[in-house]
Amino acid sequence: MHRLLLLGCLWLLAAPPASSIFQRPTGTPAPPHLQYLLEPLHPTVHTQRGATATLPCVLRALPRNYRVKWSKVEPANYRENIIIITNGLYHKNYGPLSPRVRLRHSHRYDASLTITDVALEDEGRYRCQLVNGLEDESISLTLHLEGVVFPYQPSNGRYKFNYHEAKRACEQQDSRLATYQQLYKAWTEGLDWCNAGWILDGTVHYPIINSREPCGGRLLLPGVRTYGARDKQKDRFDAFCFTSALQGSQVYFIRGHLNFKEAGQACRNHGAAIAKVGQLYSAWKFSQLDRCDGGWLADGSVRYPIATPRERCGGLPDPGVRSFGFPSKEMRTYGTYCFVRK
């Protein structure tokens, strides 16, 4: 009898207080090193470009003299850039995200970060850190945008970009340099490209589905082949760009026999702009844009999107954005693809 009473008392001491307002579902205990922060149930938050996204960070208790610091891990330089710091009463924003971030603060334990008008560069890993003297702790979350990776080279041929030029070229085409995770996912979905290109962290890769002689030989297994980190100033390669859907926009085709200058004017006559390469890829991927007509784009290239492959539209078996390269801008052979925000 005394033994049963002793066990019962020990159980009561070990049990969490009945007044606790934050209870985790059965079978998902919080890691023992987190005393104040709740481990997120879903560490990846999925969103779209132009949307509003919230990264959850909730405290189970409020320690004395604490601060919560949000930061973003940048793969290009392996640094954490501070976004916002709060002590529960006041907060201060930092960096380029400053105009578009706020604390959700739906209750006094809530330190979740809300990002408005999500941009391509917002994708990545974020850290919510509780700063409390010797008891600092943190959680990591990933903001994920569904998107498409495409290889890109300029009009003067392959392997012309150093890292900084590749980064700028992607941005000019409504995209950004892809991360390794984005390139790897694109490879699993069928991206097969023999030319090596820069990605965001300054390394160089190329994705191969079908091993072949011009691309490392037939004996090498399929995969994302790597050249590793290269000199960002001196070494020159192509680029792998990443773009995503943009809410409230449309890409459409204008038929005609237009030179490059006339193509831009035709779009402006409709209250639109000549489409960028990233915008055409986005429309192909997310709006299933399918046309057999070559059309001018803003970089002077001529391309057309195929969602349903067929013999008379290039004859290739897989969907994709086909390219005629960079013809003379005086040629009056093609129509144009236009981009407009609705």
Side-chain angles (χ1 to χ4, degrees):
M1 182 67 177
H2 292 294
R3 180 179 176 80
L4 289 175
L5 287 172
L6 179 60
L7 289 173
C9 291
L10 290 173
W11 180 86
L12 287 171
L13 288 172
S19 60
S20 174
I21 64 168
F22 296 115
Q23 300 292 330
R24 294 183 63 84
T26 303
T28 55
H33 65 282
L34 288 180
Q35 181 179 354
Y36 293 106
L37 294 176
L38 286 172
E39 188 77 15
L41 287 177
H42 304 288
T44 299
V45 174
H46 297 267
T47 188
Q48 290 184 320
R49 187 159 49 142
T52 296
T54 297
L55 299 167
C57 184
V58 178
L59 283 68
R60 66 174 74 244
L62 300 177
R64 288 185 178 182
N65 301 320
Y66 77 96
R67 289 178 298 154
V68 171
K69 179 176 71 174
W70 275 99
S71 56
K72 185 173 187 290
V73 181
E74 297 295 347
N77 53 24
Y78 304 102
R79 296 176 57 186
E80 289 194 16
N81 294 330
I82 297 174
I83 299 170
I84 195 168
I85 297 178
T86 180
N87 64 1
L89 295 175
Y90 305 100
H91 69 273
K92 185 174 181 180
N93 293 15
Y94 298 85
L97 266 174
S98 180
R100 297 189 289 112
V101 296
R102 58 181 171 82
L103 294 170
R104 182 173 64 181
H105 207 63
S106 59
H107 51 75
R108 66 194 187 107
Y109 297 91
D110 185 13
S112 301
L113 182 74
T114 295
I115 305 173
T116 60
D117 193 20
V118 170
L120 289 173
E121 59 268 22
D122 297 342
E123 177 165 283
R125 189 159 64 90
Y126 291 75
R127 190 158 77 108
C128 176
Q129 181 182 15
L130 177 77
V131 182
N132 183 35
L134 298 177
E135 298 179 296
D136 294 0
E137 54 191 59
S138 66
I139 58 172
S140 292
L141 301 109
T142 298
L143 186 67
H144 174 75
L145 277 73
E146 196 66 32
V148 56
V149 172
F150 61 94
Y152 188 75
Q153 59 183 224
S155 59
N156 57 342
R158 73 172 193 161
Y159 294 174
K160 300 297 183 182
F161 294 135
N162 67 24
Y163 172 82
H164 305 287
E165 291 164 344
K167 184 174 182 290
R168 186 162 55 250
C170 287
E171 291 167 354
Q172 289 171 346
Q173 296 309 312
D174 193 47
S175 59
R176 65 176 299 206
L177 279 175
T179 64
Y180 181 81
Q181 291 78 8
Q182 290 164 346
L183 181 62
Y184 184 87
K185 183 174 184 290
W187 169 72
T188 66
E189 294 171 348
L191 181 60
D192 183 281
W193 197 254
C194 206
N195 293 348
W198 293 101
I199 63 172
L200 187 59
D201 64 2
T203 57
V204 174
H205 309 267
Y206 64 102
I208 294 296
I209 297 290
N210 302 306
S211 298
R212 51 203 186 271
E213 288 303 328
C215 304
R218 297 180 182 276
L219 298 181
L220 283 180
L221 294 173
V224 178
R225 313 247 175 93
T226 180
Y227 287 8
R230 310 299 290 191
D231 189 307
K232 292 182 178 180
Q233 292 287 354
K234 297 179 180 178
D235 290 326
R236 295 189 173 271
F237 298 94
D238 291 346
F240 286 105
C241 305
F242 170 84
T243 192
S244 182
L246 181 61
Q247 292 185 341
S249 65
Q250 181 186 11
V251 173
Y252 62 92
F253 181 74
I254 293 180
R255 188 182 299 276
H257 297 281
L258 309 170
N259 63 29
F260 177 71
K261 185 177 180 180
E262 292 166 342
Q265 187 60 53
C267 291
R268 290 191 292 273
N269 291 343
H270 287 76
I274 188 168
K276 299 178 179 181
V277 177
Q279 292 164 346
L280 184 65
Y281 268 92
S282 177
W284 163 73
K285 177 75 173 180
F286 298 104
S287 301
Q288 297 298 297
L289 184 62
D290 185 288
R291 287 206 68 103
C292 211
D293 307 281
W296 291 104
L297 296 178
D299 66 340
S301 66
V302 172
R303 306 174 195 248
Y304 62 101
I306 296 297
T308 304
R310 47 214 187 264
E311 187 64 32
R312 63 182 182 85
C313 295
L316 295 176
D318 300 315
V321 175
R322 321 282 195 233
S323 175
F324 287 122
F326 294 84
S328 167
K329 291 183 177 180
E330 300 305 316
M331 286 184 63
R332 284 190 170 91
T333 306
Y334 308 104
T336 184
Y337 288 95
C338 303
F339 171 84
V340 67
R341 289 202 181 212
K342 298 178 182 177

